Amino acid sequence: MQTMQINSLPTQEKEWRSAFPILNKVLYGKYPLVYLDNAATTQKPRQVVEAMTEEYYNVNANVHRGVHFLSMQATDLHEASRETVRRFLNARSASEIVFTRGTTESINLVASCFGQAFMKEGDEVIISEMEHHSNIVSWQLLGESRGIKLRIVPITDDGRIKMDDYEKLFGERTKIVSITHVSNVLGTVNPVRDIIRIAHEHGVPVLIDGAQSTPHMPIDVQELDCDFFAFSGHKVYGPTGIGVLYGKEEWLDRLPPYMGGGEMIKTVSFEHTTYNDLPYKFEAGTPDYVASTGLAKALDFVTSIGLDTIQTHERDLTDYAMQRLMEVEDMNIFGPKDVSLHDAVISFQVGNIHHLDMGTLLDRLGIAVRTGHHCAEPLMHRLGIEGTCRASFALYNTREDVDALVEGIKRVRQMF
Ligand code: PLP
């Protein structure tokens, strides 16, 4: 059972897992938890939870506005966290790091502010067929209010961007490209360097949705040369309710504020208000300064292991899982078969067993997977399906977890 499994693991995996108390849970009185829903959210290591508890117990005070000891200490922690994020993404300056509530808010911020500043009726945004709803609906809202059009890059049957079609979508009205780095359904790793290079050749900026790449690979926004990059803290072992928008200073400077309130202003009168410097112009109201500490701890945690090491481990797991899953009769795996293009997320369907039945029965064996359309309904339409079962890996997953999944699926299959 659980202890035997842990004992048989290599030392480094045992050490990584030991930071996550929740992984010791036993479900329904006998099944050790096999947590394979990491694309939805990751578990939190002790370091994150303890740092946040410590801040609430010993530091708590509102940031930026206080002259008293605790407020200054909380402000220092919050700004040190911003610097940790800067280092993590290799941004040029901490003023390019905007704290948001998550990827969704980051994308909405860009859609709203960029749209307001640079787009008018008939202008176009390029997105792809594999986007999460947050990278579709944010732009649709803009379309409704300002008459902006979506241009959609098609994908191949195995879930890769059709690059020739992408290039053909550019025209005079193209104002921005907004594309996911890694698909949350197919696990496809998109060729974002080429996507960005081609957009820049047309003088068009690019927003990269990094929700599913940030936990799994090193990110260097300067090397990518993306104009905006969004990610969520909770998907990279950090707390919920905090995320990041990176933006090149020259773009953020030219965008209007997103929300009005405290923090984002320099002076206010009834006649005229002036706005704060970057990044505070985009951070109206009290920020979640405790979550920023948690996020920084989470990023320190993954950095101490090394994103390269994490990527190698998870690629190995993905590769192993793809091979083992193919042992199951009637198994259909979506997305690229080549594991160098396929990252830590595997969507599958077994014969005509409904994904909801599969997920529910796997749960009864202690195995947590996600089922449904994964907030990507247009992609489901493209694939001609209603939904999938999705297993997604994190650094603490093991080959034993994959074995449990495969054995679980085989058992479920026998029931039908
Ligand atoms: N983009 C992608 C690719 C995602 O997978 C998700 C969440 O699953 C999001 C955006 C939205 O992230 P959040 O709900 O943390 O804002």
Side-chain angles (χ1 to χ4, degrees):
M1 299 285 284
Q2 182 73 1
T3 359
M4 277 165 53
Q5 183 186 330
I6 289 282
N7 286 342
S8 66
L9 293 177
T11 326
Q12 68 166 21
E13 289 178 30
K14 237 186 286 180
E15 209 179 295
W16 298 344
R17 283 180 74 89
S18 68
F20 298 87
I22 202 170
L23 298 178
N24 296 322
K25 255 181 114 64
V26 172
L27 304 188
Y28 303 113
K30 56 178 170 177
Y31 296 110
L33 170 66
V34 176
Y35 187 77
L36 298 174
D37 193 19
N38 296 287
T41 201
T42 49
Q43 299 303 343
K44 318 304 171 203
R46 267 180 227 284
Q47 293 89 318
V48 168
V49 180
E50 284 170 4
M52 293 174 72
T53 308
E54 162 65 18
E55 185 162 348
Y56 274 127
Y57 280 153
N58 281 313
V59 182
N60 183 52
N62 207 335
V63 291
H64 293 145
R65 306 167 193 169
V67 291
H68 62 83
F69 185 87
L70 289 183
S71 176
M72 288 188 287
Q73 205 181 352
T75 304
D76 287 349
L77 276 174
H78 186 58
E79 291 308 319
S81 301
R82 197 188 303 278
E83 173 56 23
T84 302
V85 176
R86 184 206 66 73
R87 237 181 300 120
F88 184 76
L89 294 177
N90 192 31
R92 223 171 308 141
S93 151
S95 58
E96 297 180 316
I97 305 298
V98 179
F99 284 124
T100 63
R101 284 188 301 129
T103 309
T104 303
E105 190 175 71
S106 300
I107 297 174
N108 274 272
L109 190 161
V110 176
S112 169
C113 301
F114 187 93
Q116 206 182 316
F118 297 111
M119 296 177 91
K120 50 186 190 301
E121 194 172 348
D123 283 345
E124 296 171 356
V125 51
I126 296 178
I127 63 171
S128 85
E129 233 169 3
M130 67 171 84
E131 298 308 317
H132 185 278
H133 292 165
S134 59
N135 198 24
I136 301 173
V137 185
S138 319
W139 301 104
Q140 277 173 337
L141 289 174
L142 191 63
E144 276 168 21
S145 63
R146 302 179 75 86
I148 305 306
K149 290 189 190 140
L150 297 185
R151 303 297 309 274
I152 315 296
V153 193
I155 59 168
T156 60
D157 290 343
D158 70 343
R160 284 172 296 118
I161 296 261
K162 289 188 174 171
M163 289 301 281
D164 289 347
D165 291 287
Y166 166 63
E167 193 148 12
K168 286 184 201 138
L169 289 179
F170 284 87
E172 273 179 16
R173 306 304 300 263
T174 313
K175 291 292 184 284
I176 189 164
V177 172
S178 188
I179 277 194
T180 194
H181 197 167
V182 172
S183 160
N184 66 310
V185 178
L186 305 168
T188 315
V189 184
N190 285 322
V192 284
R193 276 188 193 76
D194 292 338
I195 287 171
I196 293 164
R197 179 183 48 75
I198 291 167
H200 286 175
E201 282 166 11
H202 290 84
V204 172
V206 181
L207 162 62
I208 298 296
D209 171 351
Q212 297 295 344
S213 59
T214 313
H216 305 297
M217 59 185 72
I219 303 291
D220 182 331
V221 289
Q222 291 192 66
E223 193 204 332
L224 284 175
D225 199 23
C226 53
D227 302 278
F228 302 99
F229 187 94
F231 78 93
S232 299
H234 70 97
K235 292 187 195 288
V236 59
Y237 311 99
T240 47
I242 190 153
V244 168
L245 172 68
Y246 157 82
K248 280 183 184 164
E249 206 165 306
E250 60 261 37
W251 279 113
L252 291 181
D253 255 338
R254 292 157 71 197
L255 299 188
Y258 182 45
M259 291 195 290
E263 295 284 333
M264 50 75 70
I265 49 89
K266 260 193 182 140
T267 62
V268 179
S269 75
F270 288 122
E271 291 73 35
H272 184 63
T273 290
T274 55
Y275 305 127
N276 208 341
D277 298 327
L278 294 178
Y280 310 110
K281 182 171 84 173
F282 296 105
E283 295 181 351
T286 300
D288 196 339
Y289 51 83
V290 176
S292 62
T293 298
L295 174 60
K297 283 287 168 202
L299 299 183
D300 283 344
F301 173 75
V302 290
T303 307
S304 71
I305 294 173
L307 261 305
D308 286 319
T309 308
I310 293 170
Q311 188 174 33
T312 305
H313 170 70
E314 291 174 346
R315 284 258 158 101
D316 172 72
L317 276 185
T318 310
D319 201 10
Y320 179 67
M322 303 255 267
Q323 286 173 37
R324 285 238 45 211
L325 285 168
M326 289 317 290
E327 285 172 18
V328 180
E329 239 176 277
D330 301 325
M331 172 60 72
N332 187 8
I333 296 178
F334 301 95
K337 300 293 173 282
D338 174 353
V339 97
S340 68
L341 304 173
H342 197 135
D343 212 62
V345 174
I346 302 181
S347 265
F348 62 90
Q349 197 167 353
V350 181
N352 54 13
I353 302 174
H354 196 277
H355 48 88
L356 199 56
D357 292 332
M358 176 63 80
T360 307
L361 291 167
L362 285 175
D363 170 68
R364 296 301 178 272
L365 301 170
I367 302 163
V369 294
R370 190 141 292 244
T371 62
H373 55 58
H374 315 295
C375 294
E377 283 194 56
L379 175 58
M380 296 298 123
H381 299 155
R382 164 65 180 86
L383 299 172
I385 53 177
E386 266 177 43
T388 73
C389 232
R390 182 185 73 184
S392 50
F393 304 117
L395 63 91
Y396 40 67
N397 288 121
T398 62
R399 284 185 171 221
E400 283 82 350
D401 290 340
V402 173
D403 293 339
L405 173 69
V406 173
E407 296 317 314
I409 295 171
K410 286 180 180 170
R411 271 180 77 174
V412 172
R413 201 182 159 279
Q414 275 165 7
M415 293 180 201
F416 282 82

Short mmCIF file of all heavy atoms in Angstrom, two decimals, residues 261-308:
data_model
loop_
_atom_site.label_atom_id
_atom_site.label_comp_id
_atom_site.label_asym_id
_atom_site.label_seq_id
_atom_site.Cartn_x
_atom_site.Cartn_y
_atom_site.Cartn_z
N GLY A 261 -9.24 52.47 -8.15
CA GLY A 261 -9.31 52.30 -6.70
C GLY A 261 -8.02 52.77 -6.05
O GLY A 261 -7.24 53.51 -6.66
N GLY A 262 -7.80 52.30 -4.82
CA GLY A 262 -6.56 52.63 -4.12
C GLY A 262 -5.38 51.98 -4.82
O GLY A 262 -5.56 51.09 -5.66
N GLU A 263 -4.19 52.39 -4.51
CA GLU A 263 -2.93 51.81 -5.01
C GLU A 263 -2.60 52.21 -6.45
O GLU A 263 -1.45 52.40 -6.78
CB GLU A 263 -2.94 50.26 -4.98
CG GLU A 263 -2.99 49.64 -3.62
CD GLU A 263 -1.69 49.71 -2.87
OE1 GLU A 263 -0.63 49.76 -3.51
OE2 GLU A 263 -1.74 49.74 -1.64
N MET A 264 -3.64 52.32 -7.32
CA MET A 264 -3.32 52.51 -8.73
C MET A 264 -3.24 53.99 -9.11
O MET A 264 -3.02 54.31 -10.27
CB MET A 264 -4.32 51.77 -9.64
CG MET A 264 -5.79 51.97 -9.40
SD MET A 264 -6.44 53.55 -9.97
CE MET A 264 -6.35 53.35 -11.74
N ILE A 265 -3.38 54.87 -8.11
CA ILE A 265 -3.39 56.30 -8.43
C ILE A 265 -2.16 57.00 -7.83
O ILE A 265 -1.54 56.50 -6.90
CB ILE A 265 -4.66 56.99 -7.87
CG1 ILE A 265 -4.88 56.62 -6.39
CG2 ILE A 265 -5.86 56.61 -8.70
CD1 ILE A 265 -4.22 57.49 -5.41
N LYS A 266 -1.86 58.19 -8.41
CA LYS A 266 -0.86 59.08 -7.78
C LYS A 266 -1.59 60.19 -7.06
O LYS A 266 -1.37 60.44 -5.90
CB LYS A 266 0.05 59.66 -8.86
CG LYS A 266 1.38 58.94 -8.96
CD LYS A 266 2.38 59.70 -9.79
CE LYS A 266 3.65 58.87 -9.85
NZ LYS A 266 4.25 58.92 -11.18
N THR A 267 -2.50 60.86 -7.78
CA THR A 267 -3.30 61.92 -7.17
C THR A 267 -4.73 61.78 -7.67
O THR A 267 -4.95 61.36 -8.81
CB THR A 267 -2.82 63.31 -7.60
OG1 THR A 267 -2.97 63.42 -9.03
CG2 THR A 267 -1.38 63.58 -7.20
N VAL A 268 -5.67 62.14 -6.81
CA VAL A 268 -7.08 62.09 -7.21
C VAL A 268 -7.77 63.41 -6.85
O VAL A 268 -7.61 63.91 -5.74
CB VAL A 268 -7.83 60.94 -6.48
CG1 VAL A 268 -9.30 60.91 -6.89
CG2 VAL A 268 -7.19 59.60 -6.77
N SER A 269 -8.47 63.96 -7.80
CA SER A 269 -9.41 65.06 -7.50
C SER A 269 -10.67 64.76 -8.27
O SER A 269 -10.68 63.87 -9.14
CB SER A 269 -8.82 66.42 -7.89
OG SER A 269 -8.86 66.54 -9.30
N PHE A 270 -11.73 65.47 -8.01
CA PHE A 270 -12.97 65.22 -8.75
C PHE A 270 -12.81 65.58 -10.22
O PHE A 270 -13.51 65.08 -11.07
CB PHE A 270 -14.14 65.97 -8.12
CG PHE A 270 -14.56 65.35 -6.81
CD1 PHE A 270 -14.57 66.11 -5.65
CD2 PHE A 270 -14.92 64.02 -6.74
CE1 PHE A 270 -14.93 65.54 -4.44
CE2 PHE A 270 -15.29 63.44 -5.54
CZ PHE A 270 -15.29 64.20 -4.39
N GLU A 271 -11.86 66.45 -10.51
CA GLU A 271 -11.68 66.88 -11.90
C GLU A 271 -10.73 65.97 -12.66
O GLU A 271 -10.91 65.71 -13.84
CB GLU A 271 -11.11 68.32 -11.95
CG GLU A 271 -12.07 69.40 -11.50
CD GLU A 271 -12.28 69.38 -9.99
OE1 GLU A 271 -11.31 69.08 -9.26
OE2 GLU A 271 -13.41 69.59 -9.54
N HIS A 272 -9.69 65.49 -11.96
CA HIS A 272 -8.63 64.80 -12.69
C HIS A 272 -7.86 63.84 -11.78
O HIS A 272 -7.52 64.20 -10.65
CB HIS A 272 -7.66 65.84 -13.28
CG HIS A 272 -6.61 65.23 -14.13
ND1 HIS A 272 -6.90 64.54 -15.29
CD2 HIS A 272 -5.26 65.17 -13.99
CE1 HIS A 272 -5.77 64.11 -15.83
NE2 HIS A 272 -4.76 64.47 -15.05
N THR A 273 -7.56 62.67 -12.31
CA THR A 273 -6.79 61.68 -11.53
C THR A 273 -5.54 61.30 -12.32
O THR A 273 -5.61 61.14 -13.54
CB THR A 273 -7.66 60.44 -11.26
OG1 THR A 273 -8.69 60.81 -10.34
CG2 THR A 273 -6.88 59.29 -10.67
N THR A 274 -4.42 61.17 -11.63
CA THR A 274 -3.21 60.67 -12.31
C THR A 274 -2.90 59.28 -11.77
O THR A 274 -3.18 58.98 -10.61
CB THR A 274 -2.00 61.61 -12.08
OG1 THR A 274 -1.82 61.76 -10.69
CG2 THR A 274 -2.21 62.95 -12.76
N TYR A 275 -2.32 58.47 -12.64
CA TYR A 275 -2.13 57.06 -12.29
C TYR A 275 -0.73 56.77 -11.77
O TYR A 275 0.23 57.47 -12.10
CB TYR A 275 -2.43 56.19 -13.50
CG TYR A 275 -3.81 56.46 -14.06
CD1 TYR A 275 -4.00 56.75 -15.41
CD2 TYR A 275 -4.92 56.45 -13.21
CE1 TYR A 275 -5.26 57.02 -15.90
CE2 TYR A 275 -6.19 56.72 -13.70
CZ TYR A 275 -6.35 57.01 -15.05
OH TYR A 275 -7.59 57.29 -15.51
N ASN A 276 -0.66 55.70 -11.01
CA ASN A 276 0.60 55.29 -10.38
C ASN A 276 1.56 54.71 -11.43
O ASN A 276 1.17 54.39 -12.55
CB ASN A 276 0.31 54.25 -9.29
CG ASN A 276 1.34 54.26 -8.19
OD1 ASN A 276 2.44 54.77 -8.38
ND2 ASN A 276 0.99 53.70 -7.06
N ASP A 277 2.81 54.53 -11.02
CA ASP A 277 3.81 53.91 -11.89
C ASP A 277 3.52 52.43 -12.03
O ASP A 277 2.76 51.84 -11.25
CB ASP A 277 5.21 54.08 -11.26
CG ASP A 277 5.57 55.56 -11.13
OD1 ASP A 277 5.15 56.36 -11.99
OD2 ASP A 277 6.25 55.91 -10.14
N LEU A 278 4.22 51.81 -12.97
CA LEU A 278 4.15 50.35 -13.12
C LEU A 278 4.81 49.70 -11.92
O LEU A 278 5.81 50.22 -11.42
CB LEU A 278 4.87 49.90 -14.39
CG LEU A 278 4.26 50.34 -15.71
CD1 LEU A 278 5.14 49.85 -16.86
CD2 LEU A 278 2.85 49.83 -15.87
N PRO A 279 4.31 48.56 -11.49
CA PRO A 279 3.14 47.82 -11.98
C PRO A 279 1.84 48.22 -11.27
O PRO A 279 0.79 47.67 -11.56
CB PRO A 279 3.50 46.37 -11.63
CG PRO A 279 4.27 46.51 -10.34
CD PRO A 279 5.03 47.81 -10.44
N TYR A 280 1.97 49.21 -10.31
CA TYR A 280 0.84 49.50 -9.41
C TYR A 280 -0.37 50.05 -10.15
O TYR A 280 -1.50 49.94 -9.68
CB TYR A 280 1.30 50.44 -8.29
CG TYR A 280 2.56 49.94 -7.64
CD1 TYR A 280 3.78 50.59 -7.81
CD2 TYR A 280 2.54 48.76 -6.90
CE1 TYR A 280 4.95 50.09 -7.26
CE2 TYR A 280 3.70 48.25 -6.34
CZ TYR A 280 4.91 48.92 -6.52
OH TYR A 280 6.05 48.41 -5.98
N LYS A 281 -0.11 50.63 -11.33
CA LYS A 281 -1.22 51.16 -12.14
C LYS A 281 -2.28 50.08 -12.39
O LYS A 281 -3.46 50.38 -12.59
CB LYS A 281 -0.62 51.64 -13.48
CG LYS A 281 -1.62 52.25 -14.43
CD LYS A 281 -0.93 52.89 -15.63
CE LYS A 281 -0.63 51.88 -16.71
NZ LYS A 281 -0.12 52.51 -17.96
N PHE A 282 -1.83 48.81 -12.38
CA PHE A 282 -2.76 47.71 -12.67
C PHE A 282 -3.19 46.95 -11.41
O PHE A 282 -3.78 45.88 -11.51
CB PHE A 282 -2.11 46.72 -13.66
CG PHE A 282 -1.84 47.34 -14.99
CD1 PHE A 282 -0.55 47.69 -15.35
CD2 PHE A 282 -2.88 47.60 -15.87
CE1 PHE A 282 -0.30 48.29 -16.57
CE2 PHE A 282 -2.63 48.20 -17.09
CZ PHE A 282 -1.34 48.54 -17.45
N GLU A 283 -2.82 47.47 -10.25
CA GLU A 283 -3.10 46.72 -9.01
C GLU A 283 -3.99 47.53 -8.07
O GLU A 283 -3.58 47.90 -6.97
CB GLU A 283 -1.78 46.31 -8.34
CG GLU A 283 -0.97 45.33 -9.17
CD GLU A 283 0.32 44.89 -8.50
OE1 GLU A 283 0.71 45.46 -7.46
OE2 GLU A 283 0.95 43.95 -9.04
N ALA A 284 -5.21 47.77 -8.51
CA ALA A 284 -6.15 48.54 -7.68
C ALA A 284 -6.56 47.73 -6.45
O ALA A 284 -6.80 46.53 -6.55
CB ALA A 284 -7.37 48.91 -8.50
N GLY A 285 -6.65 48.41 -5.32
CA GLY A 285 -7.15 47.75 -4.11
C GLY A 285 -6.07 46.99 -3.35
O GLY A 285 -4.93 46.89 -3.80
N THR A 286 -6.45 46.45 -2.21
CA THR A 286 -5.49 45.69 -1.39
C THR A 286 -5.12 44.40 -2.11
O THR A 286 -6.00 43.61 -2.43
CB THR A 286 -6.13 45.36 -0.02
OG1 THR A 286 -6.46 46.58 0.64
CG2 THR A 286 -5.18 44.55 0.85
N PRO A 287 -3.85 44.20 -2.36
CA PRO A 287 -3.47 42.95 -3.03
C PRO A 287 -3.48 41.78 -2.05
O PRO A 287 -3.49 42.00 -0.84
CB PRO A 287 -2.03 43.25 -3.48
CG PRO A 287 -1.52 44.24 -2.50
CD PRO A 287 -2.70 45.05 -2.04
N ASP A 288 -3.46 40.58 -2.56
CA ASP A 288 -3.36 39.41 -1.68
C ASP A 288 -1.88 39.23 -1.33
O ASP A 288 -1.17 38.40 -1.90
CB ASP A 288 -3.95 38.17 -2.35
CG ASP A 288 -4.21 37.08 -1.33
OD1 ASP A 288 -3.59 37.12 -0.24
OD2 ASP A 288 -5.03 36.20 -1.59
N TYR A 289 -1.43 40.04 -0.36
CA TYR A 289 0.01 40.08 -0.04
C TYR A 289 0.47 38.82 0.68
O TYR A 289 1.65 38.52 0.70
CB TYR A 289 0.35 41.35 0.78
CG TYR A 289 -0.53 41.57 1.98
CD1 TYR A 289 -0.28 40.92 3.19
CD2 TYR A 289 -1.63 42.41 1.90
CE1 TYR A 289 -1.10 41.11 4.27
CE2 TYR A 289 -2.46 42.60 2.99
CZ TYR A 289 -2.19 41.95 4.18
OH TYR A 289 -3.01 42.12 5.26
N VAL A 290 -0.46 38.06 1.26
CA VAL A 290 -0.05 36.79 1.89
C VAL A 290 0.11 35.72 0.80
O VAL A 290 1.05 34.92 0.81
CB VAL A 290 -1.05 36.35 2.98
CG1 VAL A 290 -0.65 35.00 3.56
CG2 VAL A 290 -1.10 37.39 4.09
N ALA A 291 -0.79 35.76 -0.17
CA ALA A 291 -0.68 34.81 -1.29
C ALA A 291 0.59 35.07 -2.09
O ALA A 291 1.21 34.13 -2.61
CB ALA A 291 -1.91 34.90 -2.18
N SER A 292 1.01 36.32 -2.20
CA SER A 292 2.25 36.59 -2.96
C SER A 292 3.45 35.94 -2.25
O SER A 292 4.36 35.41 -2.90
CB SER A 292 2.47 38.09 -3.19
OG SER A 292 2.63 38.76 -1.96
N THR A 293 3.41 35.93 -0.92
CA THR A 293 4.47 35.24 -0.17
C THR A 293 4.43 33.75 -0.47
O THR A 293 5.46 33.10 -0.71
CB THR A 293 4.28 35.47 1.35
OG1 THR A 293 4.40 36.86 1.61
CG2 THR A 293 5.30 34.70 2.18
N GLY A 294 3.21 33.20 -0.47
CA GLY A 294 3.05 31.77 -0.77
C GLY A 294 3.54 31.44 -2.17
O GLY A 294 4.23 30.44 -2.39
N LEU A 295 3.21 32.32 -3.11
CA LEU A 295 3.64 32.09 -4.50
C LEU A 295 5.17 32.10 -4.59
O LEU A 295 5.77 31.23 -5.23
CB LEU A 295 3.04 33.17 -5.42
CG LEU A 295 3.52 33.15 -6.87
CD1 LEU A 295 3.17 31.81 -7.55
CD2 LEU A 295 2.90 34.31 -7.66
N ALA A 296 5.77 33.07 -3.92
CA ALA A 296 7.24 33.15 -3.97
C ALA A 296 7.87 31.89 -3.38
O ALA A 296 8.85 31.35 -3.91
CB ALA A 296 7.72 34.39 -3.22
N LYS A 297 7.29 31.38 -2.29
CA LYS A 297 7.82 30.15 -1.68
C LYS A 297 7.68 28.98 -2.65
O LYS A 297 8.55 28.11 -2.74
CB LYS A 297 7.05 29.81 -0.39
CG LYS A 297 7.46 30.65 0.78
CD LYS A 297 8.85 30.25 1.29
CE LYS A 297 9.34 31.32 2.27
NZ LYS A 297 10.77 31.35 2.45
N ALA A 298 6.54 28.94 -3.35
CA ALA A 298 6.31 27.86 -4.31
C ALA A 298 7.35 27.94 -5.45
O ALA A 298 7.92 26.91 -5.86
CB ALA A 298 4.90 27.95 -4.88
N LEU A 299 7.60 29.14 -5.91
CA LEU A 299 8.57 29.29 -7.01
C LEU A 299 9.98 28.94 -6.53
O LEU A 299 10.77 28.32 -7.26
CB LEU A 299 8.51 30.71 -7.59
CG LEU A 299 7.15 31.12 -8.20
CD1 LEU A 299 7.23 32.52 -8.81
CD2 LEU A 299 6.64 30.12 -9.23
N ASP A 300 10.28 29.32 -5.29
CA ASP A 300 11.59 28.94 -4.72
C ASP A 300 11.70 27.42 -4.64
O ASP A 300 12.76 26.84 -4.89
CB ASP A 300 11.76 29.52 -3.30
CG ASP A 300 12.09 31.01 -3.33
OD1 ASP A 300 12.49 31.51 -4.41
OD2 ASP A 300 11.92 31.67 -2.28
N PHE A 301 10.59 26.80 -4.26
CA PHE A 301 10.57 25.34 -4.12
C PHE A 301 10.88 24.67 -5.47
O PHE A 301 11.75 23.81 -5.56
CB PHE A 301 9.20 24.91 -3.59
CG PHE A 301 8.98 23.43 -3.54
CD1 PHE A 301 9.59 22.65 -2.57
CD2 PHE A 301 8.15 22.81 -4.47
CE1 PHE A 301 9.39 21.27 -2.54
CE2 PHE A 301 7.95 21.44 -4.44
CZ PHE A 301 8.57 20.66 -3.47
N VAL A 302 10.17 25.08 -6.54
CA VAL A 302 10.42 24.42 -7.83
C VAL A 302 11.80 24.79 -8.37
O VAL A 302 12.48 23.97 -8.98
CB VAL A 302 9.33 24.70 -8.90
CG1 VAL A 302 8.04 24.01 -8.57
CG2 VAL A 302 9.10 26.17 -9.15
N THR A 303 12.24 26.02 -8.07
CA THR A 303 13.57 26.43 -8.55
C THR A 303 14.64 25.61 -7.85
O THR A 303 15.66 25.26 -8.46
CB THR A 303 13.78 27.94 -8.30
OG1 THR A 303 12.69 28.65 -8.86
CG2 THR A 303 15.07 28.43 -8.93
N SER A 304 14.40 25.30 -6.56
CA SER A 304 15.44 24.54 -5.84
C SER A 304 15.55 23.11 -6.41
O SER A 304 16.63 22.52 -6.40
CB SER A 304 15.15 24.52 -4.34
OG SER A 304 14.03 23.71 -4.09
N ILE A 305 14.47 22.58 -6.90
CA ILE A 305 14.53 21.25 -7.54
C ILE A 305 15.10 21.42 -8.96
O ILE A 305 15.90 20.61 -9.43
CB ILE A 305 13.13 20.61 -7.61
CG1 ILE A 305 12.64 20.30 -6.19
CG2 ILE A 305 13.15 19.33 -8.45
CD1 ILE A 305 11.20 19.81 -6.14
N GLY A 306 14.65 22.49 -9.61
CA GLY A 306 15.11 22.76 -10.99
C GLY A 306 14.03 22.40 -11.99
O GLY A 306 13.57 21.25 -12.01
N LEU A 307 13.63 23.38 -12.78
CA LEU A 307 12.57 23.11 -13.77
C LEU A 307 13.03 22.09 -14.81
O LEU A 307 12.22 21.34 -15.34
CB LEU A 307 12.15 24.42 -14.44
CG LEU A 307 10.87 25.12 -13.92
CD1 LEU A 307 9.66 24.20 -13.95
CD2 LEU A 307 11.04 25.64 -12.52
N ASP A 308 14.33 22.07 -15.10
CA ASP A 308 14.83 21.07 -16.06
C ASP A 308 14.64 19.66 -15.49
O ASP A 308 14.24 18.74 -16.19
CB ASP A 308 16.32 21.30 -16.35
CG ASP A 308 16.52 22.51 -17.25
OD1 ASP A 308 15.73 22.66 -18.19
OD2 ASP A 308 17.45 23.29 -16.98
#
